[in-house]
Structure formats: C-alpha cells, structure tokens
Amino acid sequence: MISRTPVRRPAVSRALPALLAATLATMLAACSSPAPPPPPPPPAPVAVVIPPVSLSSKVVEQAAAYRAYVAHASAISTNFTDGSDVAQSLKTGEAYEPGQFLRGAIAYGAIVALQDPAFVAGVRKYVADPDQRRSIAYEIMKDPAYAVSFSGSASAAGLVMSALGDDGKKLIDLGRDVHQAAYDVQHQAWSKADVQARDSRLALAKSLSSTPGLGEVAETQRLQTAVSGAGQMGLTPQSAEPPYTPEVIHSLAVAALAALGYADDASLAQVMPILAEPTEAVCLNMAKLNLYQCLAVARPHYEDVFCLGQHGLEDTGSCLMKGVGVPEPVDLRAQAAAQAALQKASTTTTAHSRHRKKQTN
C-alpha cells in the first residue's frame, strides 16, 4: 500500500504574485509625472497713491515776484516834492521784466483758481486712476483750453478775472493820479528844471525792465500755503461764463495740473510754457517801448512824472485788465475835461453865430 503525503509548495511561490504587483506599482509610480507644487499665495493689493495738490516752488516764486511789483508800484505817492522823488518813483514803476511779469500774473491766477473748492473738486475726482490722471494732464499740456471742461471752471475763472482785474485797476487809477500830478507840479519851480543825466536815466529804465524781480519772503510763503487748501486767501466768490481770454485759460490750466499732481518740480518743464501768452506779451512790451520813447524826449521833471503815470503805470494796468477781459474803469477826469471842452466849443460857436447875425442885421 502506498501512502500519499501531500506536496508542500514553497512559500515563495505563494508570495510571488503580491511581490510582482508591488513591483509593478512601484515602476508605474516612477514613470508618472511628479505632483504639481501648491499654488503661490495671491499678490498683496497695490495701494493707489493719490497725489496731493502741488505747485512747483519755481512757479510760486513767479507769482510772488508779480505780487511784489503790484504792491510796490501801488504804493507810489503822487505828492512829488523834488526831482529825487520823481526819480525814485520812476525806478519803482518801471522795475519789471515783461516776460516774467506775465508768467507771474498767470501763476498768481493759478493759485487764485485753486481757491475755488468746486473747481478743485471737479479736477480731483480723476486722480484716483493713475492712467486717467496722466491722460487728462497730457490733454491739458497739449491744449490749455481743456481745463475749461472741468466742473467749477466758471467760478474759478471769475476769481482769476476779479483778482488780476483788481490789480490792473489799481495801477490804472494810480497812473491817472500820477498823470494829473504831472500838471499839478508845474506850479512848483523845481518841476520845470531839466532832469540831470537824461541818457543814464533811460539806460537805467531799460536795465530795470530786463532784470527779473524777486518776491517777498512772507508773500511767497503765503502763496505756497494757499496752494494746498482752497479758500485760504479769503477771496469773494465770483463767476464768469466763457469765452475766456487766453490768460484766464492758462491760469485755469496750471491750476488743473496742480490739482492733478502734475505741476510739481518734476513736471516744471511742461508747466512753464503754459505761463506764456503771446497776446499780452505784445501789450506789455509795447507799454515798455512807449515808456522808453517818452523818457527819451522828456526834459523837465514834470515830463518824467507824465511818463511814469501814462506808460509806467496806466499802460501796464491796462494790459492786465485787457488780458483777463475786464473793462477798464471810466476816467472821470478825462470825461469831465472832454465835456468842458465840448461846452466851451459850443459856447464859442454860439457867440460867433450871434456875432455874424448881428453884423448881418
């Protein structure tokens, strides 16, 4: 009898399928792509920097120099007592360079426009978007008249016209008073004496007319402070509807650029050309030319007084008022003199007519 003992298979034979499966899984894992890294965190939000209202100190200094001339010239006294009084007043009245004077007037007009809260708000609503702010500033630099499109421009223009117009009126009124003094002083013997060194006096006038002026420190600081806050100059609200003169438009344009943050020192090269205005430049240069011609032929002191009143002060004030489109004040003395002359002519004509009629009869 044959016994049957079961054959035991080696343990490795039973573990082989599991080992093969593990090996295959390892090979497949090695052939697959690595898992992607986790995404980076989102970037931090970029803060929008809103620039403040700013105006280059160079522009403010131009405005201060303009204000210094107006203040000094407006203080000229008409109570002339000798030739030295006349000479000193003449030096004060002729001491401005036309180009700088015009730049200063427009710069001062810009600071005045910044005192209007409606205009500043109308411009500032565009500063939050850097691209829009830059685009608008570019349009103003190309064409200053773009500044008229902002809300509040009518009230800002009214302030500019009133402020510069008042300065012009001061000079015109004083010029007419000095003009009258040229006749009044002829009752004094000294006024009829010839001016000494007439050629050097004319040369001095030309030198002072080509030398840039300086502003007072206190006024420069006051204007710089006024740039950053509307209403600080205490101006009476005004309003004026278009059309505006180029000088008013240029003042609004510089003010708008300041409100956009594009009139600081970094933008000075783009702002300075806007401070020029050819039409008024012609007027101021003509006033200077007339002053030179007057002094060239003037001999006695009272004629120098006339040159100062007519061409040094009145003509300059007239340029300012015309530059902002404000009518000049009526000259009551000239009006009265014209009426008196007309009355005299009428009386003379009537007398002649009666005389002829009497002769005929």
Side-chain angles (χ1 to χ4, degrees), residues 126 131-140 146 150 260:
Y126 298 106
D131 291 334
Q132 188 177 36
R133 181 172 67 90
R134 183 170 53 252
S135 175
I136 291 174
Y138 178 66
E139 292 299 328
I140 296 172
Y146 189 92
F150 295 109
L260 290 169

Side-chain angles (χ1 to χ4, degrees), residues 64 214-223:
L214 298 174
E216 304 289 344
V217 173
E219 180 66 2
T220 303
Q221 292 175 343
R222 185 182 78 94
L223 295 177

Side-chain angles (χ1 to χ4, degrees), residues 77-102:
S77 172
T78 59
N79 186 27
F80 301 104
T81 58
D82 54 33
S84 61
D85 277 352
V86 177
Q88 183 58 48
S89 296
L90 190 59
K91 286 171 62 177
T92 301
E94 64 199 10
Y96 73 84
E97 193 277 313
Q100 186 197 32
F101 184 84
L102 177 55

Side-chain angles (χ1 to χ4, degrees), residues 100-187:
Q100 186 197 32
F101 184 84
L102 177 55
R103 290 191 297 273
I106 294 175
Y108 179 64
I111 297 173
V112 168
L114 288 172
Q115 302 309 295
D116 185 82
F119 180 69
V120 174
V123 179
R124 294 286 290 173
K125 66 183 180 181
Y126 298 106
V127 299
D129 184 334
D131 291 334
Q132 188 177 36
R133 181 172 67 90
R134 183 170 53 252
S135 175
I136 291 174
Y138 178 66
E139 292 299 328
I140 296 172
M141 292 171 184
K142 284 198 307 181
D143 181 9
Y146 189 92
V148 179
S149 64
F150 295 109
S151 61
S153 62
S155 52
L159 285 179
V160 174
M161 294 168 66
S162 176
L164 295 181
D166 285 350
D167 287 345
K169 184 178 183 300
K170 287 178 185 177
L171 296 177
I172 288 178
D173 287 343
L174 178 59
R176 289 171 178 173
D177 289 343
V178 173
H179 190 163
Q180 180 60 40
Y183 298 100
D184 296 339
V185 298
Q186 291 182 44
H187 300 293

Side-chain angles (χ1 to χ4, degrees), residues 265-307:
D265 290 335
S267 303
L268 186 61
Q270 290 75 39
V271 174
M272 289 303 290
I274 306 177
L275 297 179
E277 201 293 292
T279 302
E280 188 173 349
V282 171
C283 184
L284 290 169
N285 285 324
M286 184 59 67
K288 286 292 187 179
L289 180 60
N290 288 336
L291 175 63
Y292 301 154
Q293 292 176 339
C294 187
L295 291 176
V297 298
R299 300 188 69 86
H301 292 292
Y302 72 81
E303 289 185 347
D304 271 12
V305 176
F306 171 85
C307 294

